Amino acid sequence: MTLAPRSEFPLLAGNPDLCYLDSAATSQKPRAVLDAMRAYYEHDNANPHRGAYELSVRATDRYQESRDRIARFLGVPDSATLIFTRGTTESLNLVAAAWGRANVRAGDGIVITGLEHHANFVPWQQLALEKGATLRICDLTPTGEIDLDCLTGLLDARTRIVAFNHVSNALGSINPVREIATLVRERCGAIIVCDGAQSAPHFPVRFDALGVDFYAFSGHKMLGPMGIGGLVGRRSLLERMGPYQTGGDMIESVLDDRTTWNVLPHKFEAGTPNVAGAVGLAAAVDYLDGLGMDRVAEHERLILEAAIGSLGELEGVHVLGPPVSRRSGVVSFVVDEIHPHDLATVLDQQGVCVRAGHHCAQPLMRRLGVPATTRASFYVYTDVSDVVRLAEGIARAQAMFASPSAPRR
Ligand code: PMP
């Protein structure tokens, strides 16, 4: 059984044989999200914040209601501290640029982990290079989880930023955010940045209980449209930060020789915003709340158990990452003698969509000692039958590549 009916997802309904196992890259969209965006454009579209006319006020209201709705979903008590961005990448770059450039100095420390997506790796690496700061990369345990002893050793009085993901996109590891936040606060005054791209979609998240300073997320991974996501931050930090980009809407007054900034959240939202995206994401969180986030997590756990069980029965298939109890709906694996790209191609011929490659986590692949993995990832519309098709497809690929005429890499 799926948790959400495939019939409510036009792309899946239109392709009944499609086995979509790439939701960690992006989720499919329910009709409710597409309808909400269409209704916005058909009835309420205008440039918000700018016009004095009623239609523009309506667009402004839709944008603000969406912000309030998404803030409620993520346990953000003050919706003005939820900044809309294009997604996790932009949110993390915002913090690196607006907080990092102003506060990190030569000799300071920035701590990240070997588990990070490039979006939570490269901005900090570049900031460290620009400022002459030291980038310290926390080791992982053999199961691909953050090694807390190592992390403890990396923190000192000069550590200014600690950034890590809530859930690894490559392995599915769920990191103990609260525990890490407490550890950091005990040892230094660093800001704590959490990449929530893979947590907000999959289980209940309350920003006010995580203990972090910034939390970044992407709408398209949680049933919403592409091009919208957010950054949640502590008000005191956001207020002290300068802007990330400058232009329309983010100003209070512009004099010939200087400019003052608008209040939150507008200070960080320069230019015409993605109102339809925000409306679509609000519809997506309505949909997720309708399913119940506890049930979403439970459904994915059942699929995950089935997947790890089925793949475990196949000889030559090695699943990477932590046990099910500390893992979200992601299974990364390698298959003896078959390159992940070849495997993904053979699976695609059978209508099974999986991702193969480094999953935007080259530093992690180096630590795991593999050039790439194949990754299957699950969501509310995934059924156990999808996992059966995955296992059958892998077995078929193994049979093909075992035959003497099979191509070898
Ligand atoms: N962090 C993680 C853990 C991710 O999975 C992703 C998306 N694959 C990102 C960051 C970047 O998200 P986006 O491309 O939506 O900005």
Side-chain angles (χ1 to χ4, degrees), residues 24-25 87-90 92 117 119 165 167 169 195 197-198 218 220-221:
T88 305
T89 304
E90 190 173 45
L92 295 167
H117 187 283
N165 62 48
V167 174
N169 64 305
D195 169 354
Q198 299 290 348
S218 295
H220 69 95
K221 295 182 195 285

Side-chain angles (χ1 to χ4, degrees), residues 7-28:
S7 60
E8 291 182 4
F9 292 76
L11 188 141
L12 299 175
N15 295 278
D17 293 331
L18 188 74
C19 176
Y20 185 73
L21 295 175
D22 197 19
S23 291
T26 200
S27 64
Q28 296 304 336

